[in-house]
Amino acid sequence: MKRSKAWLCLLFLPLLALLGAREGAVPALSPEPTAYLALTFDDSPNGETTERLLDGLAARGAHATFFVIGEQIASQEPILRRMAAEGHQVGNHTWTHRRLDTSGCVGLHELVRTEEMLCAVAGGEKHWIRPPWGFASAETLREAEAPLIYWSLDTEDWRVLNAERIAQCIVDNARDGDIVLLHDSYGSSVDAALMAIDTLAARGFAFVTVEELFARMEVVPERGCLYCRPDQLREVK
């Protein structure tokens, strides 16, 4: 009789483990990733939505890159410090979201001003740059003191505003080494990013910062270049 009960317990253990996994557990990242993806969030930080995103990334062991608007830092310094403390990459998105292809020295000054603020609050130096709207000039590339990062997968989350559709866009199109464009100012984008992580992590993807992505692909970024991904440049005229 005791032996029969023991066998029944052994039979039910896998079922219990499965039920436990389905009750709110967060899917774990693959212990041996087969692909790497960099999720990037522009126009950061954005208060509650950014904090919710950071909570979700922390629960999943995922890292991301946040391109920060300088004028938004002063009122949200704790969020910026949290980004840096939790291993995320903090980048420069100008002071007022100014275009860098037509603004000349004014745009370059905005980069310098934001860089000084980022150094003071988050630490580090020569923070990588995401030109607002992806627009940059030859002068910007020549004068900027840090790598400029474009993207290889545009979710158009600002237009779609639907978490399921944005997540599906990432899941359907993500390739090893891609840099994904999102915005943490939208709750739908936060939900979509976490949904995509859960799905792609089960397929062997790991989620890293842009800087980590370059290192994993053994690419040293050069000044004067605008990168869509570590192995692809975007032409600037």
Side-chain angles (χ1 to χ4, degrees):
M1 188 67 170
K2 290 182 178 179
R3 186 173 299 176
S4 298
K5 289 182 178 179
W7 277 107
L8 285 172
C9 289
L10 289 173
L11 288 171
F12 278 105
L13 279 175
L15 179 59
L16 291 172
L18 179 62
L19 289 173
R22 295 180 62 181
E23 292 180 0
V26 174
L29 293 179
S30 171
E32 295 183 4
T34 57
Y36 293 88
L37 200 65
L39 299 180
T40 66
F41 296 88
D42 281 10
D43 307 347
S44 198
N46 291 284
E48 183 180 343
T49 54
T50 304
E51 293 218 59
R52 186 161 65 83
L53 174 58
L54 290 172
D55 290 342
L57 293 172
R60 290 160 174 79
H63 286 157
T65 301
F66 295 86
F67 288 101
V68 172
I69 295 177
E71 65 179 359
Q72 295 175 192
I73 296 175
S75 62
Q76 303 182 77
E77 289 186 9
I79 298 178
L80 196 64
R81 292 194 185 97
R82 180 182 174 187
M83 288 175 186
E86 295 184 358
H88 304 293
Q89 184 176 356
V90 176
N92 189 331
H93 203 43
T94 76
W95 189 262
T96 64
H97 204 266
R98 184 179 293 273
R99 286 180 60 150
L100 294 178
D101 59 335
T102 57
S103 57
C105 61
V106 175
L108 293 171
H109 175 71
E110 287 210 9
L111 289 175
V112 172
R113 187 179 181 188
T114 304
E115 171 68 13
E116 291 173 349
M117 191 73 159
L118 290 173
C119 291
V121 176
E125 60 180 355
K126 294 185 178 179
H127 296 82
W128 296 18
I129 298 164
R130 164 70 56 75
W133 296 287
F135 297 136
S137 65
E139 180 187 13
T140 305
L141 297 182
R142 185 173 61 251
E143 299 296 331
E145 296 188 358
L148 274 73
I149 306 299
Y150 195 73
W151 53 82
S152 56
L153 176 51
D154 185 357
T155 64
E156 297 191 353
D157 60 329
W158 57 272
R159 181 181 62 82
V160 177
L161 299 176
N162 179 287
E164 288 75 16
R165 287 174 59 192
I166 298 166
Q168 199 62 51
C169 173
I170 300 171
V171 169
D172 289 346
N173 296 288
R175 299 173 299 145
D176 182 29
D178 270 341
I179 296 174
V180 183
L181 174 61
L182 293 155
H183 299 77
D184 61 337
S185 51
Y186 303 107
S188 54
S189 299
V190 171
D191 293 336
L194 300 179
M195 291 164 61
I197 291 173
D198 291 345
T199 300
L200 290 175
R203 299 181 185 178
F205 276 82
F207 297 85
V208 297
T209 68
V210 173
E211 189 170 11
E212 290 169 339
L213 188 66
F214 272 75
R216 289 187 178 278
M217 296 180 69
E218 300 182 341
V219 175
V220 178
E222 299 179 7
R223 285 185 57 182
C225 297
L226 178 59
Y227 289 90
C228 297
R229 41 180 284 149
D231 57 2
Q232 180 184 347
L233 296 176
R234 181 173 176 83
E235 184 180 0
V236 175
K237 298 180 180 179

